[in-house]
Amino acid sequence: MITSPLSSNLSSKQPAKLTAALCLLLTCALMPMATAAKEAEAAKQVTVLGRTWVVAPAAEAPGFYHATRLNVELLPERPPALLSARQAVRAFRHATGCSANLDTLYRDITGTYFASLICPRK
């Protein structure tokens, strides 16, 4: 049987290409799960004056954190009202241990507060 050098070369490269393609596919499939897990670890839920806030690093604005109030409790006998900006600043403090930089504090149309944080040196 006569084999050409070209056919023997192709057969030895096929498993390497298949393995590389499989590794790439597996990496791409697991990437969203790793990103979602990192986000879930970073988000923290805190309670300020009876209201629940979720504080996490902001993906839209690097270096900033966001605080979003969960408005699921529409109870008539709630604790007294306080400005939501003050609640957001307290939520930042409870969740991270850092204070919000008031010069960078802003709210978007959805009611989510964004701010850079000032953390004490240890």
Side-chain angles (χ1 to χ4, degrees):
M1 180 171 165
I2 300 174
T3 59
S4 72
L6 193 58
S7 66
S8 64
N9 225 0
L10 284 177
S11 63
S12 67
K13 289 183 181 179
Q14 287 293 354
K17 285 183 179 181
L18 251 151
T19 305
L22 185 61
C23 287
L24 182 63
L25 179 67
L26 188 60
T27 303
C28 290
L30 293 177
M31 198 178 326
M33 286 187 249
T35 309
K38 188 190 295 183
E39 243 179 61
E41 286 176 10
K44 206 167 192 188
Q45 191 169 343
V46 294
T47 303
V48 177
L49 293 175
R51 283 139 177 113
T52 305
W53 289 79
V54 175
V55 178
E60 306 87 22
F64 277 69
Y65 275 72
H66 68 83
T68 306
R69 188 174 76 136
L70 300 179
N71 196 16
V72 294
E73 72 286 336
L74 295 173
L75 305 173
E77 301 292 325
R78 294 198 279 196
L82 182 70
L83 290 175
S84 61
R86 289 187 180 190
Q87 289 182 38
V89 170
R90 288 183 184 184
F92 285 127
R93 163 102 45 203
H94 290 330
T96 63
C98 302
S99 60
N101 184 353
L102 297 179
D103 293 336
T104 63
L105 183 70
Y106 69 95
R107 186 174 82 174
D108 67 359
I109 196 167
T110 64
T112 300
Y113 284 89
F114 294 85
S116 64
L117 301 181
I118 302 171
C119 296
R121 293 189 180 203
K122 293 181 180 179

